[in-house]
Amino acid sequence: MSETLTKLPALVPEPVELPGHLAQLRAEVREFLAAERAAGKWTPGADVWLSGWDAEFSKRLGARGWLGMTIPTEYGGQGRTALDRYVVTEELLAAGAPVAAHWVADRQIGPSLMRFGTEEQRRKFLPGIARGEIYFGIGMSEPDSGSDLASVRTRADRVDGGWEMTGTKVWTSGAHHAHAFFALVRTSPKDENNRHAGLSQFLVELDRPGITIRPIPLLTGAHHFNEVVFDHVFIPDEMVFGELSSGWAQVTGELAFERSGPERFLSTFPLLASLVGELGKASDVDAGTRREIGALVSRLWTLRRMSLAVAGALESGEAPELAAALVKDLGTRYENEIVDASRLLVDIPPDPGAEPGFARLLAEAVQHAPGFTLRGGTNEVLRGIVARGMGLR
Ligand SMILES: Cc1cc2nc3c(=O)[nH]c(=O)nc-3n(C[C@H](O)[C@H](O)[C@H](O)COP(=O)(O)OP(=O)(O)OC[C@H]3O[C@@H](n4cnc5c(N)ncnc54)[C@H](O)[C@@H]3O)c2cc1C
């Protein structure tokens, strides 16, 4: 037990206070969002970072300097800190703004290109990412490889000037709109004694010959997911990402960015805000309801402190994988609890066809909630990572 206790700091990075000057940035973002809403440019949604695809909105953010914020200026970014970006993203998510188009590119492709990309790759993609004009997807999961990602079967064989890739990726969010994605691919045969070796990452432009993108409709009919099939697709050497055979280490490094941000506890925040608004219309709110809302708000505050601490650790070059896994486990369960509370505390049924407001937000949240604890690695798998890191398994 005492050995486990010594590992606790890995779960709780040093707390981070946002520098005072960021209050000005936050005020600017809020003012911009209020003006956009007043002009009727979009209506707040739930789970907008996955479903709120609006390329024009992304370009407006890019024009303000609110995308690619941590990318150095010589590549078209703003050269600001991860905490500056944190303030902008949490305001966008809290407002329910349509951020899906640029989300993956801004969150993890930009930082990964700065870490592992070649000069040519950076010059090709980073300026467009910062302008909100180039969108990326994530090509990891396959029909038989989700949690057990090391078992991916998409493979690439060496050919003159590059690689020839064949296989199928699945559950690829937004691939039908995206310009490119990162694919995790087997580039040398599997070694059962070292399953993580022989995997590499490619930057795949999705308009290459031999690529077929098929929709996997949601139960609602909405098109969000795709199956992406590669039939002998040529990938030039210039699009190998990072080191050959280092794909596993690179992917797991990216996951710390992917798992710990404010999107892991704010997907249903607009619903919570709307719930409070609905409750406020009643002449009297009973003590149990008030306690429940108070508990939800205080947990939100705690999750934010944890997520900010991970952002601070990432900013100082650490790899806080355990803490990031914990934020995602606790945060995504919390997002679901907001949906449950909304169903129980007011008598307004979900209605996807309703005017913007509580009933519509609730419908969107109910439809998306099953995915919260799955995407980016399931909670069961995350708990396994935490337990291993704590020396418990
Ligand atoms: C909304 C959404 C968006 C997504 N977007 C993308 C995307 O853009 N790109 C992409 O590549 N993928 C994407 N995914 C796929 C996602 O990453 C996988 O669904 C996830 O990793 C789980 O894999 P799986 O579906 O194959 O389930 P499986 O791995 O088959 O898991 C099935 C069940 O078994 C449990 N399980 C599996 N292994 C273990 C274990 N070792 N210990 C305990 N329990 C275990 C899991 O927790 C789960 O409950 C998305 C998924 C969702 C829901």
Side-chain angles (χ1 to χ4, degrees):
M1 187 62 181
S2 58
E3 199 189 324
T4 304
L5 284 178
T6 61
K7 293 187 177 138
L8 271 180
L11 283 183
V12 192
E14 282 298 301
V16 164
E17 294 301 332
L18 286 173
H21 71 269
L22 292 183
Q24 170 68 24
L25 175 62
R26 186 183 300 285
E28 284 167 25
V29 180
R30 281 189 184 176
E31 196 183 324
F32 164 79
L33 292 171
E36 289 254 318
R37 280 190 60 187
K41 295 195 171 160
W42 43 268
T43 49
D47 204 24
V48 281
W49 62 277
L50 204 85
S51 57
W53 195 287
D54 181 340
E56 294 310 314
F57 180 72
S58 294
K59 288 177 198 161
R60 293 199 290 279
L61 288 184
R64 296 229 156 204
W66 291 339
L67 296 183
M69 291 182 76
T70 61
I71 294 172
T73 49
E74 72 250 45
Y75 299 110
Q78 303 295 321
R80 298 179 76 158
T81 71
L83 296 181
D84 292 42
R85 180 179 176 272
Y86 197 99
V87 165
V88 172
T89 51
E90 71 174 350
E91 288 301 325
L92 293 170
L93 293 164
V99 293
H102 64 262
W103 194 261
V104 169
D106 180 65
R107 174 181 68 184
Q108 73 209 80
I109 309 298
S112 289
L113 280 165
M114 286 312 301
R115 227 166 132 201
F116 303 117
T118 62
E119 186 60 18
E120 190 187 344
Q121 290 166 353
R122 291 177 184 172
R123 301 242 169 245
K124 182 176 170 79
F125 294 113
L126 288 176
I129 289 176
R131 286 195 305 270
E133 292 172 1
I134 294 185
Y135 315 128
F136 267 80
I138 302 172
M140 293 199 204
S141 307
E142 296 191 2
D144 297 313
S145 306
S147 305
D148 183 15
L149 203 52
S151 68
V152 291
R153 285 187 300 189
T154 296
R155 64 161 217 281
D157 299 315
R158 196 82 183 102
V159 293
D160 198 18
W163 296 80
E164 198 176 75
M165 183 169 146
T166 295
T168 301
K169 294 289 175 184
V170 78
W171 312 127
T172 322
S173 305
H176 53 307
H177 296 306
H179 299 92
F181 74 7
F182 274 180
L184 183 70
V185 178
R186 185 151 283 290
T187 44
S188 46
K190 190 148 108 191
D191 170 358
E192 279 309 331
N193 296 320
N194 186 3
R195 299 169 75 239
H196 298 153
L199 293 168
S200 304
Q201 277 188 302
F202 291 154
L203 286 162
V204 181
E205 291 162 287
L206 291 168
D207 58 358
R208 286 196 168 272
I211 299 183
T212 308
I213 300 176
R214 297 196 192 111
I216 307 175
L218 302 183
L219 282 176
T220 58
H223 180 186
H224 157 76
F225 282 133
N226 300 275
E227 179 186 62
V228 184
V229 181
F230 305 97
D231 182 8
H232 298 90
V233 175
F234 176 69
I235 309 290
D237 280 329
E238 302 84 80
M239 289 295 135
V240 172
F241 183 64
E243 295 285 320
L244 272 174
S245 282
S246 296
W248 186 260
Q250 290 172 199
V251 161
T252 43
E254 269 163 46
L255 286 173
F257 285 93
E258 195 185 326
R259 287 178 172 158
S260 59
E263 71 273 30
R264 298 304 182 178
F265 58 91
L266 289 178
S267 304
T268 53
F269 178 82
L271 177 63
L272 177 61
S274 184
L275 170 65
V276 172
E278 289 300 327
L279 289 168
K281 290 178 189 166
S283 53
D284 185 31
V285 179
D286 64 73
T289 301
R290 276 186 268 145
R291 234 187 343 263
E292 190 129 354
I293 295 293
L296 283 173
V297 172
S298 58
R299 279 171 61 208
L300 175 65
W301 208 244
T302 311
L303 285 162
R304 180 172 180 267
R305 297 280 296 177
M306 289 174 67
S307 164
L308 259 175
V310 177
L314 284 168
E315 176 79 2
S316 38
E318 294 165 39
E321 282 163 27
L322 294 195
L326 192 66
V327 169
K328 184 176 174 301
D329 180 13
L330 296 174
T332 54
R333 280 191 282 150
Y334 171 78
E335 291 176 331
N336 273 308
E337 285 170 38
I338 290 178
V339 182
D340 294 342
S342 300
R343 300 188 81 159
L344 290 171
L345 296 180
V346 290
D347 193 14
I348 303 174
D351 180 358
E355 291 294 306
F358 181 82
R360 192 157 110 188
L361 283 169
L362 179 57
E364 289 170 4
V366 166
Q367 286 165 356
H368 284 246
F372 295 163
T373 58
L374 301 178
R375 57 190 178 190
T378 70
N379 284 25
E380 292 75 19
V381 167
L382 297 177
R383 284 175 217 163
I385 292 172
V386 172
R388 193 177 304 113
M390 300 290 288
L392 295 171
R393 64 187 279 243

